Amino acid sequence: MAYIELRDVSKAFYADRAKSRARVALDRVSLEIERGEFVSLIGPSGCGKTVTLSMIAGFVQPTVGEVLFEGEAVCGPDPRRGVVFQEYSLLPWLTVEQNVSFAVKSSTRRLGNVIDSAETAERARLALSQVGLSDVAEARPSTLSGGMKQRVAIARLLAMGSEVMLMDEPFSALDELTRSALDESMRRLWKKEGRTVVFVTHSISEAVLVSSRIVLFSSSPGRVCREWSVGDDVPRDVDAPEFRALCDEIRSCMPDTACSF
């Protein structure tokens, strides 16, 4: 049994207010993700990457088919499947540590558990240390850089104990150097923590840098086109010939509109 599974999933959205027309965003997508994988979803704009992520998160329900987590249907959001968005979504009136603690309290309530303030604070501080932000625990979000804000968002998932980290282009709005540093930090964190990551990106090089597997979607409508395993034999170095060769191979398969099956 796969840890996360999409079974013949299609998703359509109404295209007008009268609900007389619909647009198919995903068409018969089947995908299995095993525990501990780092899977990147890539493809053209509008191919359904974010829709797929939203269905795994439980924000969106499939029109046809089913999404399973540990063998059970995903019917709504669950703190075990945490999400990092492109927007930072931090509460500006709380400190960095308070933002993380708030997420811990909210998630434990949703799971029907209760932990005291001391344990909450300990989990928040540990998570911040894991992403290198212990020294800004008392700072407000407005004083942080974009990269630091996203590290706070990642710390929230670590503190919440989310088994799955769903990341929707989390670093795309950042400058190239910051993005590269966060990509490397995220991969190190994944290797150390062993959590399952599903990562949406438009960047082929970013996908190769961080992933253990890459899934390419076509568009109009979105379907799974092709997959690549990225083993330890591929250096995580953008200047390495093996790295460039895999990027070129993936780029050559990128569809403009759809793949031929």
Side-chain angles (χ1 to χ4, degrees):
M1 179 181 66
Y3 189 45
I4 300 169
E5 184 176 3
L6 279 72
R7 290 185 180 171
D8 204 25
V9 167
S10 296
K11 181 62 183 178
F13 295 94
Y14 287 116
D16 58 18
R17 291 185 178 181
K19 297 183 179 182
S20 61
R21 295 181 297 110
R23 177 182 64 85
V24 178
L26 286 177
D27 183 31
R28 296 170 293 162
V29 169
S30 292
L31 178 65
E32 294 185 359
I33 298 172
E34 300 299 334
R35 187 189 296 270
E37 280 196 286
F38 195 128
V39 178
S40 285
L41 310 181
I42 65 172
S45 296
C47 69
K49 303 184 297 293
T50 295
V51 173
T52 299
L53 198 79
S54 296
M55 288 196 292
I56 296 172
F59 299 150
V60 174
Q61 294 300 310
T63 305
V64 177
E66 58 182 347
V67 181
L68 305 175
F69 175 59
E70 295 187 316
E72 297 184 0
V74 173
C75 299
D78 187 321
R80 293 177 297 169
R81 303 185 305 275
V83 184
V84 176
F85 301 100
Q86 183 175 343
E87 298 81 14
Y88 310 120
S89 62
L90 301 178
L91 301 175
W93 57 90
L94 298 181
T95 66
V96 166
E97 183 177 320
Q98 288 169 341
N99 264 278
V100 178
S101 294
F102 180 80
V104 173
K105 293 175 184 176
S106 299
S107 65
T108 51
R109 281 198 299 267
R110 285 183 59 86
L111 293 173
N113 301 323
V114 178
I115 60 174
D116 59 30
S117 298
E119 183 179 349
T120 299
E122 182 180 352
R123 285 169 61 171
R125 286 193 290 268
L126 175 60
L128 289 171
S129 70
Q130 289 174 291
V131 297
L133 290 180
S134 296
D135 57 340
V136 295
E138 300 305 316
R140 302 284 179 179
S142 61
T143 67
L144 305 182
S145 67
M148 294 170 78
K149 290 175 182 177
Q150 283 300 52
R151 284 154 66 192
V152 176
I154 294 168
R156 285 188 304 198
L157 301 196
L158 295 174
M160 288 163 54
S162 297
E163 300 165 27
V164 180
M165 302 177 74
L166 304 172
M167 310 185 76
D168 189 8
E169 297 190 71
F171 311 141
S172 62
L174 306 175
D175 65 85
E176 185 176 354
L177 288 177
T178 301
R179 181 173 183 168
S180 178
L182 286 175
D183 284 337
E184 293 180 10
S185 296
M186 189 64 216
R187 178 170 171 78
R188 287 197 301 269
L189 185 64
W190 165 70
K191 295 282 281 187
K192 180 180 179 180
E193 294 288 323
R195 306 199 191 198
T196 306
V197 181
V198 185
F199 191 91
V200 169
T201 179
H202 278 97
S203 170
I204 294 172
S205 60
E206 181 175 53
V208 175
L209 180 65
V210 299
S211 310
S212 63
R213 181 156 58 106
I214 297 171
V215 178
L216 174 63
F217 281 69
S218 68
S219 60
S220 302
R223 296 175 181 171
V224 172
C225 227
R226 188 170 170 182
E227 300 185 17
W228 290 265
S229 291
V230 189
D232 292 336
D233 57 320
V234 178
R236 309 302 166 136
D237 178 355
V238 295
D239 294 321
E242 299 90 342
F243 187 100
R244 294 200 304 269
L246 181 54
C247 287
D248 289 342
E249 179 184 339
I250 296 172
R251 191 171 293 109
S252 70
C253 296
M254 284 289 286
D256 292 329
T257 54
C259 287
S260 56
F261 290 87

